[in-house]
Amino acid sequence: MIRVEDLHKHFGGFRACDGASIEIAEGSITGLIGPNGAGKTTLFNVIAGVLPPTSGRVFMDGEEITGLPPHELFHKGLLRTFQIAHEFSSMTVRENLMMVPGGQSGETLWNTWFHRARIAEEETELAKKAYEVLEFLTIDHLAEEKAGNLSGGQKKLLELGRTMMVDAKIVFLDEVGAGVNRTLLNTIGDAIIRLNKERGYTFCVIEHDMDFIARLCDPVIVMAEGKVLAEGGARAVMQDDRVIEAYLGTGLKNKVKEEAAQG
């Protein structure tokens, strides 16, 4: 579904992405891991149109999408979430979801004057869909709660719910587990797996929680210093000497291997 070819993104002399090439297969839950500063979020931002690349190309379903702005990619079904949730804090959880779909009749002044019945009908349908999404995510009891009052994990579920309000094809999740307790993280994981299996969503997930990655993701892509370092199943990449060294450094890598050898 997504193909990235020789992607570079430079910030002055710093090469955040330095020739990264990846592929994300349709229907997969692909993990993207690596130490801090590896270039993972920059890669996400370039794919999602938040940042222009210095060079390189991005394709979606065979169509080049390099440099397209986020709103155009949104309409193509490419969505991303952020490490820090971006909710409308003063609006309810239900209202946050209802805001997502574009092209609503109530967005034009003319319709608010002359087509109020159409607007009311659309809002009824959106409210129904929002409740269905919240029920799917097991947070329907929070529908009328102000979004700003949610916990970190609940906000991550709300962001996931936003992707369900439109016809998402691929969703990029940036550190979905950051600041989330284990119980809610398991709930988020369950929702991702269900969306993948039942609704055909494709996911790419940045995450530092290796148990979460191992549970959800196949394949796993490892980045370091702006490049792709390794790719494969979760167990295989986590046992790769290059990956261990990138995370821990040579000294700690040797210590980990000695401890593993001692059982």
Side-chain angles (χ1 to χ4, degrees), residues 1 14 28 43 68 127 134 140 154 171 207 225 232-233 238:
M1 179 170 285
F14 176 63
S28 70
L43 180 63
L68 289 183
L134 293 173
D140 46 307
Q154 290 167 342
V171 180
E207 183 51 60
E225 298 180 347
M238 290 176 194

Side-chain angles (χ1 to χ4, degrees), residues 88-137:
F88 296 101
S89 58
S90 63
M91 299 174 68
T92 68
V93 170
R94 173 182 56 81
E95 289 168 341
N96 266 262
L97 294 183
M98 292 176 64
M99 287 282 291
V100 175
Q104 298 183 40
S105 297
E107 294 175 359
T108 64
L109 185 60
W110 176 269
N111 286 334
T112 61
W113 288 344
F114 299 107
H115 296 288
R116 293 182 180 179
R118 183 197 303 171
I119 293 172
E121 183 178 347
E122 283 184 8
E123 288 186 347
T124 299
E125 289 300 313
L126 284 172
K128 180 181 177 182
K129 185 170 184 178
Y131 277 115
E132 290 173 352
V133 167
L134 293 173
E135 187 176 22
F136 181 96
L137 297 172

Side-chain angles (χ1 to χ4, degrees), residues 133-149:
V133 167
L134 293 173
E135 187 176 22
F136 181 96
L137 297 172
T138 69
I139 54 171
D140 46 307
H141 60 289
L142 298 172
E144 303 308 320
E145 181 65 70
K146 297 292 186 185
N149 295 335

Side-chain angles (χ1 to χ4, degrees), residues 64-235:
E64 184 166 5
I65 59 170
T66 312
L68 289 183
H71 69 272
E72 289 189 29
L73 296 173
F74 174 89
H75 291 296
K76 291 180 181 293
L78 189 157
L79 288 77
R80 71 152 297 174
T81 67
F82 294 85
Q83 181 178 352
I84 300 174
H86 293 150
E87 76 283 353
F88 296 101
S89 58
S90 63
M91 299 174 68
T92 68
V93 170
R94 173 182 56 81
E95 289 168 341
N96 266 262
L97 294 183
M98 292 176 64
M99 287 282 291
V100 175
Q104 298 183 40
S105 297
E107 294 175 359
T108 64
L109 185 60
W110 176 269
N111 286 334
T112 61
W113 288 344
F114 299 107
H115 296 288
R116 293 182 180 179
R118 183 197 303 171
I119 293 172
E121 183 178 347
E122 283 184 8
E123 288 186 347
T124 299
E125 289 300 313
L126 284 172
K128 180 181 177 182
K129 185 170 184 178
Y131 277 115
E132 290 173 352
V133 167
L134 293 173
E135 187 176 22
F136 181 96
L137 297 172
T138 69
I139 54 171
D140 46 307
H141 60 289
L142 298 172
E144 303 308 320
E145 181 65 70
K146 297 292 186 185
N149 295 335
L150 300 183
S151 70
Q154 290 167 342
K155 289 179 180 180
K156 296 293 178 71
L157 281 168
L158 175 58
E159 285 216 324
L160 194 57
R162 286 200 188 108
T163 73
M164 298 174 63
M165 293 296 293
V166 294
D167 295 324
K169 291 182 179 180
I170 182 165
V171 180
F172 290 83
L173 302 173
D174 193 351
E175 295 201 29
V176 69
V180 178
N181 67 53
R182 178 57 57 181
T183 299
L184 269 176
L185 186 58
N186 287 335
T187 300
I188 293 169
D190 291 342
I192 292 170
I193 291 170
R194 285 187 63 196
L195 285 169
N196 174 253
K197 293 186 180 300
E198 298 175 15
R199 305 197 181 191
Y201 276 38
T202 300
F203 287 97
C204 187
V205 183
I206 291 176
E207 183 51 60
H208 288 291
D209 188 312
M210 293 298 104
D211 290 336
F212 185 81
I213 287 288
R215 177 191 172 203
L216 267 68
C217 300
D218 187 18
V220 175
I221 299 168
V222 186
M223 288 188 68
E225 298 180 347
K227 300 179 176 68
V228 173
L229 180 66
E231 181 176 353
R235 183 179 297 274

